[in-house]
């Protein structure tokens, strides 16, 4: 499930386990990893909630999937690909977004957001003023652009923690996603 041994039992970890089990219907592997630092997990949940609250869910999920792809995070790819499939697209479209978003039928604005979020996650220091201007040209204002930066940067934290700890994607994704979509969303780890 991960490279780490299970965290020592604690009341905070048990609360995390109970809350996530109620929310997800099972205990995710990422929760087990974060049991090593319940305070960090609580801070992550607060940060991620604030990032998501600032933008429309479809854009958040597209930016997050782009970051997961750039970071080669299968866990986050599967999780956010599933949200995109459940809420916004069919499985074939999500698989296309994961492999070649420019040819997946997204709007030009969405393609620009996915390009930008992927660049932020892959190498934030390579982002230029022209990249930001390109998003403005696609109708995003500076607050919306900053929200995309936040979504990609937040995914960098979470995906990096899961990858470095060796957290395996939850086996529930095997039942929830068809084989072609699962394969498209497995980005590397």
């Amino acid at each position: 499930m991960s490279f780490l041994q299970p965290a020592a039992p604690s009341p905070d970890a048990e609360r995390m386990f109970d809350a996530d089990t109620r929310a997800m219907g099972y205990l995710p592997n990422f929760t087990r990893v974060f049991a090593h630092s319940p305070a960090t997990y609580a801070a992550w949940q607060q940060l991620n909630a604030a990032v998501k609250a600032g933008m429309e869910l479809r854009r958040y999920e597209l930016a997050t999937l782009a970051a997961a792809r750039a970071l080669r995070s299968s866990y986050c790819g599967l999780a956010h690909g599933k949200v995109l499939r459940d809420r916004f697209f069919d499985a074939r479209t999500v698989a296309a977004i994961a492999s070649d978003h420019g040819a997946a039928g997204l709007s030009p604005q969405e393609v620009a957001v996915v390009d930008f979020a992927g660049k932020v996650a892959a190498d934030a220091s390579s982002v230029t003023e022209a990249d930001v201007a390109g998003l403005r040209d696609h109708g995003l204002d500076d607050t919306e652009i900053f929200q995309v930066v936040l979504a990609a940067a937040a995914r960098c934290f979470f995906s990096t923690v899961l990858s470095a700890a060796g957290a395996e994607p939850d086996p529930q994704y095997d039942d929830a996603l068809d084989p072609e979509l699962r394969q498209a969303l497995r980005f590397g780890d």
Side-chain angles (χ1 to χ4, degrees):
M1 152 176 27
S2 91
F3 302 144
L4 305 175
Q5 296 296 316
S10 73
D12 288 339
E14 286 304 314
R15 280 190 289 279
M16 286 172 48
F17 291 171
D18 290 345
D20 283 3
T21 299
R22 279 193 309 277
M24 304 281 290
Y26 63 92
L27 182 60
N29 289 336
F30 67 78
T31 308
R32 296 173 202 266
V33 168
F34 273 95
H36 287 279
S37 182
T40 302
Y41 187 58
W44 158 254
Q45 289 179 309
Q46 185 176 5
L47 172 66
N48 197 47
V51 170
K52 284 174 76 170
M55 62 194 309
E56 62 185 52
L57 182 61
R58 180 170 161 142
R59 182 178 292 157
Y60 169 82
E61 293 296 340
L62 287 168
T64 299
L65 185 63
R69 182 175 61 193
L71 297 163
R72 299 181 43 80
S73 174
S74 293
Y75 202 137
C76 292
L78 290 162
H80 294 278
K82 181 179 181 307
V83 173
L84 285 167
R85 196 260 344 246
D86 291 349
R87 300 286 302 269
F88 302 105
F89 303 103
D90 62 26
R92 174 175 277 156
T93 302
V94 176
I97 293 167
S99 62
D100 182 9
H101 65 279
L106 297 175
S107 72
Q109 182 186 77
E110 289 173 327
V111 170
V113 165
V114 171
D115 288 341
F116 184 78
K119 188 171 187 176
V120 169
D123 182 7
S125 67
S126 72
V127 173
T128 66
E129 191 170 345
D131 295 320
V132 172
L135 286 178
R136 285 186 193 119
D137 291 344
H138 282 93
L140 276 73
D141 64 29
D142 284 7
T143 298
E144 292 169 318
I145 294 167
F146 187 64
Q147 291 165 341
V148 174
V149 170
L150 290 174
R155 188 56 36 201
C156 288
F157 166 75
F158 200 75
S159 292
T160 300
V161 169
L162 298 185
S163 293
E168 294 178 11
D170 302 315
Q172 286 77 3
Y173 293 116
D174 291 343
D175 295 331
L177 301 170
D178 67 65
E180 288 180 24
L181 182 54
R182 276 197 321 268
Q183 183 61 34
L185 295 170
R186 286 194 168 276
F187 297 131
D189 57 31

